[in-house]
Amino acid sequence: MDALTLGPIKSLSGEVRLPGSKSISNRALLLAALAGGRTRIVNLLDGEDTQLMRRALSQLGIAVTPHGDAWTVAGGGGPLVTDGRRIELNLGLAGTALRPLAAALTLGNGEFVLDGTPRMRERPVGPLVSALRALGADIDYAATSGYPPVRIRAGGLAGGEADIDGSVSSQFLTSVLLAAPLAQRPVTLRVLGDLVSKPYIDITLDLMSRFGAEVRHRGHRRFAVANGGYRSPGECLVEGDASSATYFLAAGAIAGQGIRVEGVGAASIQGDAAFADVLEAMGAQVERSATSLAVRPAPLSGIDADLNHIPDAAMTVAVLALFAKGATRIGNVANWRVKETDRLAAMARELRKLGAEVEEGPDGLAIDPPPALKPAAIETYGDHRMAMCFSLAALGGVPVTIKDPGCVAKTFPDYFEQFTALIDS
């Protein structure tokens, strides 16, 4: 389908059970592959990014098989490849697959090339490669660009100490942390700059702990990782995707009888669960349980917020600003520029189509909502989150056309089916 027209929609109400978190799913798959023993992963996301990770692990000789409502991974208890093979992996646009695999493949013995889509070749890997080199890896990237394809001549990761830039993406630090327990010596990582998206590092640390790794850190600035390897916990439950929850929760704040999402709540390890706090700050009514969140409409007001800790959810805030009284300012999200598209430029451009006045800064947006929304055809730039967050604009009394709606397959293949199922008759 080239385009999907939604609305105008008066209101949405009901309950949604969320797909598994992409961030947790791909971390769990890799850890299960590195761990000793079999791991049953429950509620694993079945989206493009996790399919790419599963396919890559299969190419590397790891058995990943479906069993009822779960997937079983037969881990080898060590490096993924040890026989010196040469393997080329295409990871599409999946940063949560390419970057962690680049680190993990330095542990064994072989030659590897990791590549992806043209946009993936615009997403940086330089800080990751620099840190891995400092720990003894023979790894490089395309020419001198600092971007994929990544080339690895693996002979084991020595370990020791390294600095790593935390100001561009938390995935660099996550990737080295995930590989570190299988290095030949303990690993100490020092974070340079301001670490973005800290909650994603907390997800990494939580999962590493579940698989038996020992990590200590000082205020997310210095990480010490023991080289004791991983062992399977037997079963690993993947939470519902907190980023995906934001679209439904935001809809519940705009119009209807309220929306409840099941699978993520107050006990979540995901940073984007804090989107509920942003909704409250804007005026919505929020109810929390350990595993669910519910939102009911109320008059919304614009906010001025640093959303560095929830950059994916911040996109939903930008569209929700269309329904608030007064301006909304979203700051400290410069890393939007190195995501699936340049999200700062893309969000500003598409919000203006709907009638908003938008000021695009180097690391944020200032959004003044229009008196009434304008009908618009929204470009998604192949970015799943652009498609999902702009679906909310159909609640503004105008039809909205989402171009390339199929891009949501990256994390939520049936998003539009679930979204439209909540429309109040």
Side-chain angles (χ1 to χ4, degrees), residues 109-128:
N109 178 28
E111 295 187 14
F112 310 96
V113 178
L114 281 64
D115 203 355
T117 64
R119 175 58 183 172
M120 179 61 87
R121 289 187 172 192
E122 298 175 346
R123 300 183 69 182
V125 293
L128 170 61

Side-chain angles (χ1 to χ4, degrees), residues 44-349:
L44 184 77
L45 173 67
D46 189 16
E48 285 183 356
D49 280 22
T50 53
Q51 291 167 8
L52 287 163
M53 176 66 95
R54 295 200 321 260
R55 186 180 71 185
L57 292 175
S58 295
Q59 286 182 254
L60 297 167
I62 301 298
V64 184
T65 53
H67 290 282
D69 64 344
W71 290 78
T72 298
V73 182
L80 298 174
V81 175
T82 59
D83 59 7
R85 284 178 289 161
R86 187 180 192 280
I87 300 174
E88 296 187 7
L89 301 174
N90 186 329
L91 283 311
L93 191 50
T96 57
L98 187 146
R99 289 162 171 167
L101 279 169
L105 288 171
T106 67
L107 296 165
N109 178 28
E111 295 187 14
F112 310 96
V113 178
L114 281 64
D115 203 355
T117 64
R119 175 58 183 172
M120 179 61 87
R121 289 187 172 192
E122 298 175 346
R123 300 183 69 182
V125 293
L128 170 61
V129 169
S130 296
L132 290 169
R133 284 175 179 165
L135 297 173
D138 187 352
I139 181 172
D140 207 343
Y141 37 71
T144 56
S145 66
Y147 301 89
V150 177
R151 299 180 177 89
I152 303 162
R153 292 160 292 276
L157 192 64
E161 298 188 0
D163 295 332
I164 189 162
D165 184 355
S167 65
V168 177
S169 172
S170 63
Q171 286 182 10
F172 304 145
L173 177 57
T174 276
S175 299
V176 182
L177 285 171
L178 291 172
L182 289 167
Q184 295 161 10
R185 303 196 310 273
V187 170
T188 298
L189 298 173
R190 295 178 294 267
V191 178
L192 304 180
D194 293 328
L195 178 60
V196 300
S197 307
K198 288 179 184 177
Y200 286 95
I201 299 302
D202 293 332
I203 292 174
T204 300
L205 298 177
D206 180 271
L207 285 163
M208 289 176 69
S209 176
R210 291 194 221 177
F211 282 83
E214 297 181 18
V215 186
R216 302 188 309 278
H217 73 92
R218 300 176 185 172
H220 294 86
R221 302 302 305 174
R222 182 183 176 91
F223 294 79
V225 187
N227 59 332
Y230 292 111
R231 60 182 180 276
S232 172
E235 183 170 291
C236 179
L237 175 63
V238 177
E239 288 182 8
D241 192 299
S243 302
S244 296
T246 65
Y247 316 118
F248 298 103
L249 295 173
I254 296 168
Q257 301 303 307
I259 290 180
R260 177 179 299 276
V261 296
E262 294 286 347
V264 63
S268 173
I269 64 171
Q270 298 170 77
D272 277 357
F275 179 73
D277 300 332
V278 178
L279 287 174
E280 283 186 322
M282 296 182 78
Q285 302 178 58
V286 180
E287 296 178 3
R288 300 170 175 82
S289 77
T291 59
S292 70
L293 295 168
V295 176
R296 294 193 303 276
L300 301 176
S301 299
I303 57 170
D304 188 338
D306 179 333
L307 298 181
N308 179 269
H309 59 301
I310 53 170
D312 288 344
M315 296 177 69
T316 313
V317 176
V319 179
L320 192 60
L322 297 171
F323 299 89
K325 181 180 180 180
T328 291
R329 291 175 173 79
I330 296 169
N332 203 11
V333 289
N335 65 330
W336 272 9
R337 296 204 185 274
V338 296
K339 297 291 187 176
E340 284 82 344
T341 187
D342 179 342
R343 287 176 171 171
L344 273 170
M347 291 296 297
R349 190 177 300 120

Side-chain angles (χ1 to χ4, degrees), residues 324-401:
K325 181 180 180 180
T328 291
R329 291 175 173 79
I330 296 169
N332 203 11
V333 289
N335 65 330
W336 272 9
R337 296 204 185 274
V338 296
K339 297 291 187 176
E340 284 82 344
T341 187
D342 179 342
R343 287 176 171 171
L344 273 170
M347 291 296 297
R349 190 177 300 120
E350 303 310 310
L351 287 167
R352 291 183 186 119
K353 288 182 181 179
L354 290 158
E357 294 184 10
V358 184
E359 180 182 345
E360 177 189 342
D363 69 344
L365 299 175
I367 304 157
D368 282 296
L373 297 190
K374 299 177 180 179
I378 302 297
E379 296 285 351
T380 55
Y381 312 91
D383 187 336
H384 58 134
R385 301 213 181 279
M386 290 290 294
M388 290 187 280
C389 69
F390 274 97
S391 66
L392 298 171
L395 285 158
V398 296
V400 175
T401 298

